Amino acid sequence: MALGLPNHLARSRVNDAIAVACHASALLCLATAVVCIGVVQFDYPALLLWPSFLALGVMAVVLILLAANRSLFWSVAYLATGAASTFWYAGMLLNQLGPATANNSYLLTLPKLALVLCAGAAVTSFGAIGWVAAGYAAAEAAVLFAHLQSHTPGSLDFASTAVAVLLAAVLSAVAQGRRRSQRVRPTMHRAAREESVAAMRNRLEQRAAALLHDTVLSQLAALAAAPTGPLPAATRRSIERDLQLLVGEDWLIEPETIPVRAEDADLPPVFERSIDDSRRDGLTVDLAGELTLLATLGPEVAHELALAMRQCLVNVARHSGTDRAEVVVFGGVGELTVMVIDGGRGFREESVPRDRFGLRQSVRGRIERVGGSVHIWSTLGEGTSVLLQVPVAESAAVEKPSPDAPGGSRRSAS
Amino acid sequence: MSGPAHESTAQQLDPLGTLSGRRLAIVGSSLALLYAVVITAREFRDLVHPVAATLALLALAAACLALVLGGDPRFAPFTRRRMAFVLTAALAAHLLSAYATWRHNDFVRDDWGPVAVGVLLLAFAPFRPWAEILRSGVIAAVVVAALTVVQLPYFVTAAPPLVLVSAAMAPVLGMTVASATFCRALVGSVKEWDGRAARAREADVGRVREGMARSVQQDRVTILNRDVLPFLAEVLDRDSITEDDHERARSISDSIRGVMISEAGRSWLEDLLLQHRQEAMLAGIAQDPPVSDPHKVAEFMDLEQRAALRALLDDLLRTPALQRGTLAIRLTSTGSRCDAEVSAVLRMSRHRTRCLISPYLAVFRTAFDAVRVERIDTELVLRFSYARH
């Protein structure tokens, strides 16, 4: 999520970016000066202009050092060597080309611009403007002395003055604009944090609601429908197990810590428990497909998928009118699919009352929370297929089991 | 993210930090226009085509106006189309100004066109990706170079052609490099910080996760302790099921379902404004529920959109000028779009309202679509939309 820089970083990061821009442009000015002087030297071989390359080279080296380490030392060093180099460069040009004309004044301007764009070490925007002023003064002084030394007339350089004014205006505008955003930034960052926490609480509450449905509401429904008389042993065990889970454990913290009874090594324990519970409900569950792929799921996805599958099997046992269901597992690129199929009486999803949470919370809610999707095909009188798709890590998705691998066979449990 | 298409621009990654972008646009445009007017006035007597010179100034003025308006946070984000318009108008201004002095342009350094184009390219820095600025700058420099080459026979100076072409291109290339490197450095900084901030937030949320899970679990267990657990314990103790148990099981089940329905039906937005409504009610102010969301579309806002709206609502609720009980949010849905309207009565001047709201508008402009704001008397109305996934 892009919230931008916090207040304590905004100023320094923007000033750093301005400095990078200034140094890149200054380097371009020096490179252009080298090219132009080279062209003039080539066109007029009698002139002695090539030593000015040395002045530009020294200036470029110190500029690169300043760009790499924007300290007070290198800032001052750049201004000092830059002013000396510009003096040497300008003196050579004025001595060789004569008084500044519309032509060679451009060549004189290039190193001056490189000095104006020194962007020395500064904490505040006004400090940065100070460096602009210092660079401008150093550049103008260097060229003025060159004029005096070569006895040529000098005048105010419009280009370097304009660049100095423009840069100062940009720095000032940035400083002004920053004040407007300072008030709101902390509110935005606080809101983002609160939103992350709220999203997590919401996920936990949904998980709690789904668990509540699977345990308490399921037990209450079983008791409401049970015949009067002695409590059946299976119902007793189921109630005791749920009571132990709800009261005695941190059931929301670590999904994989829920105790499971692993009787079949082919299935991860969390799935084994779901199948085991359905078997106790009197359901015959046929398992087919690439069952070993279930072991490649992360703990949270595996936990939610197993509970969603369990709820599908509960629905089969409770509503379909059949005592047999089939669970098929197959993998795809980046996803794993579990299909729960029954040949029961079928239903229409839109006719499920709003206060029934089984499909909505315990199946759809769970799978969507881990980034998956649920598709239901049901025909009245012919049965129901529920397709649960969950994402898997790419490395896991491509590791398909070999045909001989255990779990690739078809098994039946009842 | 379901707002406008995201690009790697400083404006979209740090909308608050680039509020000064408009100032940069105003400063740059003013200086470019002023420079063009001064040079044109100084050379006016030597102009071959004064009408072309006037049209050149008008084209530049149009480019500057488009830049200033486009840089306004109320109209963010600054799109590629706006940039293309500004650049085309500026280059057209340069062509017209060259035509105005055709065959009588003595010095290439007197041309205001390259300077104006360069300054406008510089002003794009907060708004467009660095690579796009660089490409545009190179194209503009090629146009400027081509026009200089065509005029070479008419310059009075005897300098080598490459030096003259370089002099014409220098302002464009120099300011392009400055603009692109500034943008690249700032965007890099913001992205690096965002990555760090996201990791810190994740770690922070991880730290409170366990405590929160216990708190949520305790809430549920408290509800269960009231009726369910005693009932189930009683059945286990008795080891039998009676007619009365059937009725109690149904009654408790209905009561729990009722709680679950009311929780499931309440959106994050309603949770957010629950306290505000309770305060208004305690103060004796009757208020309709502050959130109207008949299609339950609040859930379709992503994390960034929720954070932006949460921050605005937080600020409005902390403003003493907010008339209690007047903050309302209406969410509706048509097809794949969700429309939102936030309204509140604020007893403060228009200027202060603008100061309060404009930073959020900059953020909303990057997070949502079709953001509009209006003030009717003392009522502030903010409308925006987002995609329904």
Side-chain angles (χ1 to χ4, degrees):
Chain A
M1 180 164 61
L3 288 172
L5 297 166
N7 280 340
H8 69 280
L9 280 181
R11 187 164 65 184
S12 64
R13 294 294 173 93
V14 172
N15 284 349
D16 287 349
I18 290 175
V20 169
C22 287
H23 294 152
S25 299
L27 214 51
L28 182 73
C29 289
L30 295 178
T32 308
V34 168
V35 171
C36 289
I37 294 295
V39 169
V40 176
Q41 179 73 82
F42 184 78
D43 275 14
Y44 304 95
L47 294 176
L48 187 66
L49 292 172
W50 62 265
S52 61
F53 288 153
L54 194 60
L56 295 171
V58 168
M59 210 172 157
V61 167
V62 183
L63 176 62
I64 290 166
L65 290 169
L66 169 63
N69 181 14
R70 203 156 58 95
S71 63
L72 183 63
F73 172 77
W74 285 114
S75 306
V76 174
Y78 178 62
L79 280 193
T81 51
S85 301
T86 304
F87 170 72
W88 184 8
Y89 170 91
M92 191 158 285
L93 248 66
L94 292 170
N95 282 322
Q96 295 293 311
L97 297 176
T101 62
N103 173 26
N104 62 17
S105 70
Y106 163 64
L107 298 177
L108 280 181
T109 298
L110 290 168
K112 284 163 74 178
L113 292 180
L115 264 178
V116 171
L117 295 166
C118 72
V123 178
T124 64
S125 295
F126 293 106
I129 292 173
W131 281 110
V132 174
Y136 176 72
E140 289 301 325
V143 175
L144 180 66
F145 281 122
H147 276 295
L148 291 174
Q149 188 254 347
S150 61
H151 306 291
T152 52
S155 62
L156 184 74
D157 185 349
F158 177 79
S160 61
T161 309
V163 168
V165 168
L166 182 65
L167 191 51
V170 166
L171 288 165
S172 173
V174 168
Q176 293 279 325
R178 197 179 295 134
R179 284 193 203 109
R180 291 176 65 203
S181 61
Q182 269 177 346
R183 180 181 62 82
V184 175
R185 277 188 198 274
T187 314
M188 282 299 303
H189 284 270
R190 193 174 57 241
R193 185 192 175 278
E194 286 172 0
E195 202 48 60
S196 297
V197 171
M200 189 188 71
R201 187 174 182 100
N202 182 263
R203 276 198 303 275
L204 286 169
E205 286 190 337
Q206 283 189 24
R207 179 181 285 170
L211 273 167
L212 210 61
H213 173 270
D214 295 353
T215 52
V216 172
L217 289 181
S218 186
Q219 298 298 355
L220 290 172
L223 288 175
T228 54
L231 188 64
T235 310
R236 182 180 186 84
R237 274 200 307 275
S238 174
I239 292 175
E240 280 173 345
R241 197 178 57 238
D242 284 349
L243 280 179
Q244 190 189 0
L245 171 73
L246 290 173
V247 181
E249 293 177 33
D250 284 336
W251 38 267
L252 272 181
I253 295 174
E254 291 296 337
E256 63 270 44
T257 60
I258 292 176
V260 292
R261 189 158 55 90
E263 290 176 344
D264 190 334
D266 288 352
L267 285 178
V270 70
F271 289 96
E272 184 59 36
R273 176 190 158 117
S274 291
I275 301 293
D276 199 31
D277 286 350
S278 300
R279 198 169 56 200
R280 271 198 229 96
D281 290 343
L283 203 64
T284 299
V285 183
D286 296 325
L287 299 175
E290 301 162 324
L291 298 175
T292 50
L293 282 182
L294 293 171
T296 64
L297 295 171
E300 188 183 0
V301 176
H303 175 75
E304 299 296 338
L305 179 62
L307 290 182
M309 184 184 80
R310 160 74 181 139
Q311 184 57 41
C312 292
L313 293 170
V314 166
N315 287 344
V316 173
R318 200 174 283 168
H319 306 297
S320 73
T322 176
D323 59 357
R324 196 173 191 98
E326 185 178 7
V327 174
V328 186
V329 180
F330 48 96
V333 179
E335 64 182 25
L336 184 144
T337 304
V338 170
M339 264 189 111
V340 180
I341 307 159
D342 72 74
R345 63 171 71 101
F347 72 104
R348 274 202 294 268
E349 199 182 354
E350 61 274 16
S351 64
V352 176
R354 188 169 153 65
D355 66 343
R356 311 308 297 186
F357 288 93
L359 263 180
R360 186 147 45 97
Q361 286 274 25
S362 299
V363 181
R364 274 195 196 286
R366 276 196 171 112
I367 297 298
E368 286 170 4
R369 264 200 304 285
V370 294
S373 59
V374 176
H375 303 279
I376 299 167
W377 295 276
S378 187
T379 307
L380 289 175
E382 291 184 14
T384 303
S385 297
V386 183
L387 191 141
L388 312 169
Q389 277 179 321
V390 291
V392 292
E394 278 180 23
S395 58
V398 294
E399 285 172 14
K400 289 205 170 191
S402 68
D404 302 332
S409 58
R410 194 178 181 87
R411 292 188 292 116
S412 185
S414 63
Chain B
M1 179 71 222
S2 56
H6 260 226
E7 296 175 304
S8 270
T9 68
Q11 186 182 45
Q12 297 216 23
L13 292 169
D14 187 5
L16 290 173
T18 43
L19 283 175
S20 51
R22 189 175 182 227
R23 283 172 191 267
L24 187 65
I26 292 171
V27 168
S29 299
S30 309
L31 289 176
L33 204 54
L34 182 69
Y35 180 59
V37 169
V38 168
I39 297 289
T40 306
R42 201 181 68 185
E43 310 282 324
F44 200 78
R45 288 187 179 184
D46 302 326
L47 291 175
V48 182
H49 304 289
V51 175
T54 311
L55 287 175
L57 289 177
L58 287 176
L60 183 64
C64 293
L65 189 66
L67 178 65
V68 170
L69 288 178
D72 191 324
R74 286 176 299 171
F75 307 122
F78 192 97
T79 57
R80 180 184 295 173
R81 190 179 288 184
R82 288 182 200 175
M83 180 185 182
F85 175 81
V86 172
L87 198 60
T88 307
L91 285 173
H94 177 45
L95 288 171
L96 284 165
S97 110
Y99 179 67
T101 55
W102 196 248
R103 296 186 178 186
H104 291 81
N105 188 12
D106 296 343
F107 304 108
V108 69
R109 291 197 74 196
D110 283 352
D111 296 350
W112 56 259
V115 175
V117 171
V119 169
L120 296 186
L121 279 160
L122 187 66
F124 290 146
F127 306 124
R128 299 301 310 158
W130 70 271
E132 199 176 299
I133 294 171
L134 199 59
R135 277 197 299 273
S136 306
V138 170
I139 291 169
V142 168
V143 172
V144 167
L147 199 58
T148 310
V149 169
V150 174
Q151 295 181 90
L152 279 175
Y154 313 117
F155 292 133
V156 296
T157 49
L162 198 60
V163 173
L164 294 174
V165 172
S166 150
M169 289 168 71
V172 177
L173 283 180
M175 285 190 258
T176 297
V177 166
S179 183
T181 47
F182 171 82
C183 173
R184 190 164 185 260
L186 189 61
V187 164
S189 272
V190 176
K191 280 184 173 172
E192 185 218 335
W193 163 256
D194 271 338
R196 277 172 47 200
R199 283 193 296 278
R201 224 172 16 244
E202 215 168 281
D204 192 29
V205 168
R207 273 194 293 278
V208 298
R209 188 174 192 273
E210 197 167 313
M212 190 177 287
R214 288 216 168 83
S215 148
V216 171
Q217 179 174 333
Q218 194 51 47
D219 288 351
R220 302 284 167 174
V221 172
T222 305
I223 295 170
L224 300 179
N225 273 338
R226 208 172 47 214
D227 298 313
V228 183
L229 299 183
F231 171 62
L232 293 177
E234 189 188 320
V235 172
L236 286 177
D237 280 350
R238 198 184 329 118
D239 204 19
S240 64
I241 302 169
T242 65
E243 282 293 340
D244 188 40
D245 290 337
H246 291 163
E247 197 48 47
R248 276 182 73 192
R250 276 191 212 101
S251 154
I252 294 170
S253 176
D254 288 346
S255 140
I256 292 176
R257 279 180 198 283
V259 173
M260 286 170 79
I261 286 173
S262 83
E263 282 176 351
R266 206 168 64 216
S267 70
W268 64 274
L269 202 51
E270 285 166 306
D271 277 341
L272 182 61
L273 292 179
L274 199 59
Q275 196 184 348
H276 168 63
R277 192 182 180 205
Q278 285 168 348
E279 282 171 5
M281 287 167 81
L282 283 175
I285 299 163
Q287 191 204 6
D288 292 333
V291 180
S292 161
D293 183 10
H295 303 110
K296 303 288 172 203
V297 292
E299 303 307 318
F300 295 113
M301 284 187 216
D302 63 26
L303 196 64
E304 184 179 351
Q305 292 167 333
R306 290 181 190 201
L309 184 54
R310 181 186 279 268
L312 171 71
L313 295 175
D314 271 357
D315 215 355
L316 284 176
L317 290 171
R318 279 190 282 114
T319 305
L322 173 72
Q323 190 173 317
R324 223 183 297 181
T326 60
L327 181 63
I329 301 169
R330 276 175 287 279
L331 301 177
T332 53
S333 175
T334 45
S336 62
R337 303 297 310 162
C338 304
D339 297 305
E341 183 185 293
V342 178
S343 59
V345 173
L346 296 170
R347 284 171 299 199
M348 57 165 63
S349 69
R350 277 177 185 273
H351 173 70
R352 284 194 57 210
T353 306
R354 204 178 304 126
C355 289
L356 174 80
I357 210 82
S358 66
Y360 292 106
L361 276 183
V363 178
F364 269 55
R365 280 265 167 200
T366 64
F368 295 103
D369 294 319
V371 180
R372 302 168 313 282
V373 65
E374 61 179 309
R375 176 91 193 253
I376 307 159
D377 295 329
T378 54
E379 189 181 26
L380 174 80
V381 181
L382 173 67
R383 294 187 181 90
F384 52 90
S385 61
Y386 54 96
R388 178 182 182 144
H389 295 296

